[in-house]
Amino acid sequence: MVEILDSEDEELQIALIESIGSSEAIVNLPDIQTDLVPEDNLQSVLEAFQVETVDKESVTKLLVMRSDVLNTALKGLNRKKINFKSYLYINFSGEMGEDQGGPRFFRLAMKALQDSAFFEGPENSKIFSHNISLLEMDQYKTIGRLVALSLVQDGPGIHVLHPDLYNLMVGRPSKMEDLEELLPAATCKMLQQLRDADDEDKRDQISGEISQFTTGMNDVNLAWDMVKSHAELFEPLFCFHPKEITGEEMIRVFKMNYSLVGSNDRALEDVSVFGWEAFLQSIEDGDIDVTLSEVIAFVTGADCFPPCGFSKLIDVDFYTCEGRLPSASTCALQLWLPRVNNPDMISKLIKVRIKKLFVCNLMVFSGMYYSGSVTPT
């Protein structure tokens, strides 16, 4: 990739970008980087599966409540006529517009699922809970569908399974001694039986939760079979593997829509962009109490880069309106920044916007997250 440091030489920059091909190389920043050959890495495998699975000519709408994302989504995924190979549009009840699938809804759904009664154990090292009520209602199958749909519709993975549980599920050797010390005796007995089982059918008989979950994933074009055949590549999407977003990565996914060179608006926009990049640098240096994950969530609805990257560069447009805070469209992947004559104003205004958004989300979701429970649908 060629980097141009002199932002005024726009014609040369455009020519160089065109000479190295389309901007897809800039857009598709995978969540997980590997050293494998291109045809055998996570991004290429998942992209091929998405193309094979999602028919964008067919649309399925899913109605959810923002204050109860998980339960209402599971209810929708149990509809008899739902098509798991169609393009998913999300309607948040009582709100204008649609999410059109993708980051915002699936980020909220995966967070609610991680904190739900479907799982037990330490944070980021969980196993399926043995919940008879949820089993009898095939709800583990439904969450399997939800996770599979997240993978094929540009959402995140579940990111909380204990690595040894994942190994058991994909047929690799597993130990679970460390986790067992923190779990009830009945659960530990089941884990021991799972380890002793010498084939997949026996494991399914012992753990109906695992069987239902993987069956549900396979309802989405045999997604679990695809995961099993690439178990090492997909482990970071099911288990906790922290990967921090960098300021450089953030800058690369934004496209500035400047005014004409030489205009008064353009002069102010240059100051705004300097303030924006200085803001990102300050976050990376730990100088302010905002994270890059919070910034990307504000702009896109996702708190990390999707495994196959965003569908396009994020457009940045500018406005002149004193007192108006920066805003974003998560559906359109668009950010609006004010034209300023003091670059420090960008940091101050974005911090206010993000904190307001955080407080609003906390008020909406606090009841569900404190309970950590799932109401049968």
Side-chain angles (χ1 to χ4, degrees):
M1 178 179 175
V2 179
E3 292 190 14
I4 304 298
L5 300 180
D6 184 359
S7 61
E8 294 182 3
D9 198 351
E10 293 178 340
E11 292 184 1
L12 176 59
Q13 183 172 0
I14 293 171
L16 284 170
I17 290 175
E18 290 178 347
S19 73
I20 61 174
S22 75
S23 62
E24 289 300 311
I26 301 175
V27 177
N28 290 326
L29 294 172
D31 191 27
I32 306 300
Q33 301 284 348
T34 74
D35 295 326
L36 302 176
V37 293
E39 64 271 16
D40 198 23
N41 61 36
L42 175 62
Q43 181 179 346
S44 61
V45 170
L46 193 49
E47 281 181 342
F49 187 71
Q50 290 174 339
V51 170
E52 175 188 311
T53 302
V54 182
D55 176 12
K56 294 193 175 181
E57 299 300 318
S58 173
V59 174
T60 293
K61 290 190 176 183
L62 189 64
L63 178 66
V64 298
M65 289 174 57
R66 184 179 292 274
S67 60
D68 196 5
V69 169
L70 182 57
N71 284 316
T72 52
L74 297 184
K75 183 176 181 178
L77 294 180
N78 278 325
R79 287 155 44 203
K80 292 182 179 179
K81 292 186 177 180
I82 192 165
N83 180 0
F84 296 115
K85 296 187 70 172
S86 64
Y87 192 62
L88 195 63
Y89 272 64
I90 307 299
N91 285 106
F92 283 97
S93 175
E95 300 181 24
M96 297 293 292
E98 297 166 340
D99 189 44
Q100 302 182 26
R104 181 171 60 151
F105 162 70
F106 283 112
R107 176 174 66 88
L108 298 176
M110 290 300 104
K111 172 59 179 172
L113 182 57
Q114 292 165 5
D115 296 336
S116 73
F118 286 102
F119 297 100
E120 63 180 322
E123 186 178 3
N124 299 326
S125 296
K126 297 188 176 185
I127 66 169
F128 293 104
S129 62
H130 187 57
N131 189 310
I132 300 299
S133 174
L134 296 175
L135 271 172
E136 290 177 344
M137 298 170 59
D138 285 341
Q139 288 293 72
Y140 290 92
K141 179 188 291 186
T142 312
I143 66 168
R145 293 171 176 173
L146 179 63
V147 172
L149 286 170
S150 184
L151 296 184
V152 300
Q153 306 258 353
D154 292 326
I158 185 69
H159 293 303
V160 295
L161 293 187
H162 192 286
D164 289 327
L165 173 61
Y166 178 78
N167 285 336
L168 272 172
M169 293 171 66
V170 298
R172 299 194 299 194
S174 173
K175 301 176 183 178
M176 299 193 75
E177 286 83 354
D178 293 340
L179 184 60
E180 287 176 1
E181 295 178 0
L182 304 173
L183 296 174
T187 303
C188 293
K189 181 179 180 181
M190 182 184 71
L191 291 175
Q192 182 63 48
Q193 291 174 330
L194 283 171
R195 281 203 305 271
D196 294 342
D198 54 11
D199 62 47
E200 188 171 332
D201 288 339
K202 288 182 180 179
R203 282 194 293 270
D204 287 347
Q205 292 171 9
I206 296 166
S207 176
E209 297 86 9
I210 293 176
S211 178
Q212 281 192 16
F213 178 82
T214 56
T215 299
M217 284 200 65
N218 272 339
D219 285 343
V220 184
N221 196 27
L222 301 178
W224 180 250
D225 289 350
M226 183 268 299
V227 169
K228 281 189 64 178
S229 64
H230 302 281
E232 183 175 355
L233 295 181
F234 278 88
E235 181 178 353
L237 297 186
F238 287 84
C239 306
F240 180 65
H241 285 250
K243 178 183 181 294
E244 293 185 4
I245 301 173
T246 67
E248 181 181 354
E249 287 175 327
M250 288 282 287
I251 291 173
R252 288 170 58 198
V253 298
F254 287 88
K255 177 171 73 72
M256 304 297 168
N257 297 324
Y258 289 110
S259 300
L260 292 175
V261 175
S263 66
N264 290 334
D265 282 349
R266 174 57 186 269
L268 293 173
E269 289 163 7
D270 287 338
V271 176
S272 297
V273 171
F274 177 81
W276 164 252
E277 294 182 355
F279 169 63
L280 298 178
Q281 186 177 63
S282 295
I283 295 175
E284 198 165 29
D285 291 343
D287 294 336
I288 55 179
D289 59 346
V290 172
T291 67
L292 291 173
S293 292
E294 288 175 330
V295 176
I296 201 68
F298 157 59
V299 178
T300 71
D303 53 8
C304 63
F305 293 125
C308 293
F310 297 110
S311 59
K312 69 179 187 70
L313 290 173
I314 301 167
D315 284 297
V316 179
D317 291 299
F318 302 90
Y319 62 87
T320 302
C321 182
E322 187 175 350
R324 175 185 162 190
L325 292 175
S327 58
S329 170
T330 59
C331 299
L333 293 179
Q334 190 167 15
L335 171 66
W336 287 273
L337 292 177
R339 297 183 180 94
V340 297
N341 53 25
N342 179 354
D344 293 340
M345 287 301 297
I346 294 295
S347 174
K348 293 178 181 177
L349 292 172
I350 295 179
K351 284 174 63 179
V352 171
R353 168 59 75 187
I354 289 176
K355 294 305 179 184
K356 282 180 176 288
L357 184 66
F358 175 80
V359 170
C360 179
N361 286 340
L362 184 63
M363 290 175 64
V364 172
F365 291 109
S366 59
M368 178 175 65
Y369 285 163
Y370 286 140
S371 67
S373 63
V374 173
T375 304
T377 55

